Amino acid sequence: MATKPEILDSALDVLRAGDALTIDAVARVSGLTKPGVVHHFATKEGLTLAVLDHLLLKWEAELSRRAGAGADAMGRLRAYIEYTLMGDMDPADLALLADPRLRVKLSVRWAERMNAWFGESDHPQVVAARLIADGAWIDRCLGMLPLDDPQRAAVVDVALSLLPKDSNS
């Protein structure tokens, strides 16, 4: 029997394939029956929220790895900027947030987790750097602006140059 993390990975595979996230689709990809998936996730909403949390854990692990132990909010934001512009982005990340029925709930949950990670700042330069990274993430998931690594690295430098030098911003 598949574990919860394996089922959630199967759900991401469904999204990567461009299919709608349904319990039936996840059952098919995971090799389970629909009741087997429902045993772990009673509703599509429950499944979708669990997939989002699973995805966020992966993001947080990668950001922690990049930022290093004990990084402050600015260090974690730097890691996010570098990750969204230089790391491997997964279109399934963005596809998950596109569910029209759950868009608000999913967006709020994503924002709560990411804001807790970066801290909240209304400093215009911090906001601009975050918007660059958020835009890069969306762009990379959709593949709209083809940039090579040196071009992306130059954008990382621009975004990082916006961040205040002191940690109190």
Side-chain angles (χ1 to χ4, degrees):
M1 172 167 259
T3 65
K4 276 188 176 185
E6 290 169 338
I7 294 168
L8 297 171
D9 285 335
S10 293
L12 290 171
D13 288 340
V14 167
L15 293 168
R16 283 183 198 106
D19 296 330
L21 184 62
T22 65
I23 290 176
D24 286 324
V26 172
R28 187 173 50 257
V29 170
S30 66
L32 295 172
T33 62
K34 183 175 181 176
V37 174
V38 170
H39 171 75
H40 294 285
F41 307 100
T43 64
K44 180 186 176 223
E45 181 175 333
L47 172 65
T48 303
L49 292 170
V51 172
L52 179 64
D53 288 337
H54 182 67
L55 181 62
L56 282 163
L57 284 173
K58 288 181 178 197
W59 270 72
E60 289 168 343
E62 178 61 20
L63 292 172
S64 291
R65 186 188 71 73
R66 287 174 178 268
D72 64 5
M74 285 299 110
R76 293 188 301 264
L77 181 54
R78 284 183 189 88
Y80 178 67
I81 290 166
E82 291 168 358
Y83 180 46
T84 58
L85 279 149
M86 302 302 293
D88 292 326
M89 293 292 101
D90 188 341
D93 298 359
L94 190 57
L96 178 64
L97 296 173
D99 184 319
R101 287 185 323 99
L102 296 173
R103 188 186 78 244
V104 171
K105 192 175 276 190
L106 294 168
S107 296
V108 166
R109 188 176 234 143
W110 184 277
E112 285 171 351
R113 292 278 290 272
M114 288 291 105
N115 289 343
W117 179 262
F118 304 128
E120 294 190 30
S121 174
D122 59 359
H123 189 288
Q125 290 171 273
V126 172
V127 172
R130 171 82 189 268
L131 287 171
I132 289 170
D134 289 347
W137 169 59
I138 291 168
D139 175 75
R140 303 243 359 256
C141 286
L142 297 176
M144 298 182 303
L145 184 61
L147 299 175
D148 59 23
D149 284 346
Q151 291 170 311
R152 282 198 299 249
V155 176
V156 167
D157 291 342
V158 168
L160 292 177
S161 75
L162 295 173
L163 296 179
K165 303 305 177 222
D166 66 7
S167 300
N168 299 325
S169 297

